[in-house]
Structures are given as structure tokens and as C-alpha cells.
Amino acid sequence: MAEASAALLYPKTCAATFSCRQCRHSAQVVFHDPDAFAEDEPIGGRSRWMQEAAMEQALRKLHDKSKKALSLVPCPKCGGIDEPARRQAYLRAALPLLAVVPVMLPTLTMLFGVVAVANRVQAALLALAVTGALATLVVLWGQRRLVGDARRSVRFS
Ligand SMILES: [Zn+2]
């Protein structure tokens, strides 16, 4: 009975298997959730059943995360990287920009048209240049963070 009343805590780590596509090396790793809070966080829910369901979902999410992170980590044996997986992850990092650019571009164009002495065409070109530069910076930053997070969160045993 005492066991049943103990609070379930959100999982922060999970075991996973790294396998290299290039040299077929495989290793057991521990994945640490980079988004987990430092303190233990109890799973809420009115009944034990609901808590267990939430726990299962959290574990599944953690497992998906570990899979994504593992694909961004270089092989400890041959140093190889799963290029298609990395490209895919980079693309995911860039996707949020698709929502921002259509808003940012006309806003900047208007702003430059008002603030700068530029005419409409110049303002539009300036806005395009600034949007392009910012987008590139954000994408590069996002990619660096993605790879950095992945490498920090995977521990080879
Ligand atoms: Zn390898």
C-alpha cells in the first residue's frame, strides 16, 4: 500500500542504444533529458491510473527525444555522423522561420520606408537583406544548439 501512494516522478533519463550506420558499432548509452528541471517533478493526476498513463506518455516522449539526439551524436568509434538524420534535424530547426518570415518581411519593408530615406524598392530590398541575414543567423544558432544539446545529453557508458 505504501508503494502505491508514493508519487511518481517525471523521468529524466532513459537507456538507449547507439548504433553507427557506417561501422556498425553499437553501444549502450544513457540519455539525459536536456529540458528536464533540476528538481524532481511529481506527475500530477487524480488517480493512480491517470498518473501511470502520464508516466507512460512521458517515457515515450523521452524515448523519441533520445532517438533524435542519438542521430546527432558522432560515433565514438569511427567518428561518423548520420548525415541524413542531421540534415533532417537541421531542417526541423529551420521550420519555425517559415512562420516568421512572411510577417517580418512586410513589417521591415514598411519600417524602412518610413525611417530611412529609401524609396519603396530600396526599402523592400533592405528588408529582404535584413530578414535574410537574421534568418541565417537564427538557423545557424538553432543548429548549433541542437547539436550541442544532443552531445551533452547522451552519455556513453
Ligand atoms: Zn562508427
Side-chain angles (χ1 to χ4, degrees), residues 20 22-25 75 77-80:
C20 177
Q22 277 148 50
C23 73
R24 307 266 159 219
H25 173 66
C75 171
K77 205 169 180 192
C78 73

Side-chain angles (χ1 to χ4, degrees), residues 33-57:
D33 188 356
D35 304 323
F37 297 109
E39 278 104 62
D40 285 335
E41 201 190 346
I43 289 181
R46 252 170 281 157
S47 67
R48 188 70 184 175
W49 181 83
M50 278 167 81
Q51 288 175 8
E52 266 162 19
M55 179 73 171
E56 205 170 291
Q57 204 181 13

Side-chain angles (χ1 to χ4, degrees), residues 78-114:
C78 73
I81 273 266
D82 188 349
E83 273 307 331
R86 177 151 70 173
R87 268 199 298 276
Q88 223 177 33
Y90 277 11
L91 207 63
R92 269 200 309 271
L95 274 182
L97 279 176
L98 287 183
V100 178
V101 169
V103 180
M104 195 171 156
L105 199 56
T107 311
L108 278 179
T109 305
M110 209 174 65
L111 215 73
F112 285 134
V114 175

Side-chain angles (χ1 to χ4, degrees), residues 17-152:
T17 308
F18 173 89
S19 57
C20 177
R21 283 197 196 193
Q22 277 148 50
C23 73
R24 307 266 159 219
H25 173 66
S26 103
Q28 281 299 309
V29 300
V30 178
F31 173 74
H32 294 251
D33 188 356
D35 304 323
F37 297 109
E39 278 104 62
D40 285 335
E41 201 190 346
I43 289 181
R46 252 170 281 157
S47 67
R48 188 70 184 175
W49 181 83
M50 278 167 81
Q51 288 175 8
E52 266 162 19
M55 179 73 171
E56 205 170 291
Q57 204 181 13
L59 277 174
R60 235 195 333 262
K61 243 192 221 162
L62 194 62
H63 210 78
D64 281 352
K65 242 191 228 180
S66 78
K67 254 194 241 156
K68 278 179 191 148
L70 277 174
S71 68
L72 294 174
V73 174
C75 171
K77 205 169 180 192
C78 73
I81 273 266
D82 188 349
E83 273 307 331
R86 177 151 70 173
R87 268 199 298 276
Q88 223 177 33
Y90 277 11
L91 207 63
R92 269 200 309 271
L95 274 182
L97 279 176
L98 287 183
V100 178
V101 169
V103 180
M104 195 171 156
L105 199 56
T107 311
L108 278 179
T109 305
M110 209 174 65
L111 215 73
F112 285 134
V114 175
V115 176
V117 279
N119 61 37
R120 280 180 84 85
V121 175
Q122 282 171 331
L125 285 176
L126 203 57
L128 195 66
V130 171
T131 307
L134 273 177
T136 309
L137 275 180
V138 169
V139 167
L140 286 178
W141 175 80
Q143 289 170 351
R144 278 184 69 101
R145 207 186 56 138
L146 206 68
V147 172
D149 268 0
R151 291 185 185 182
R152 269 191 303 277

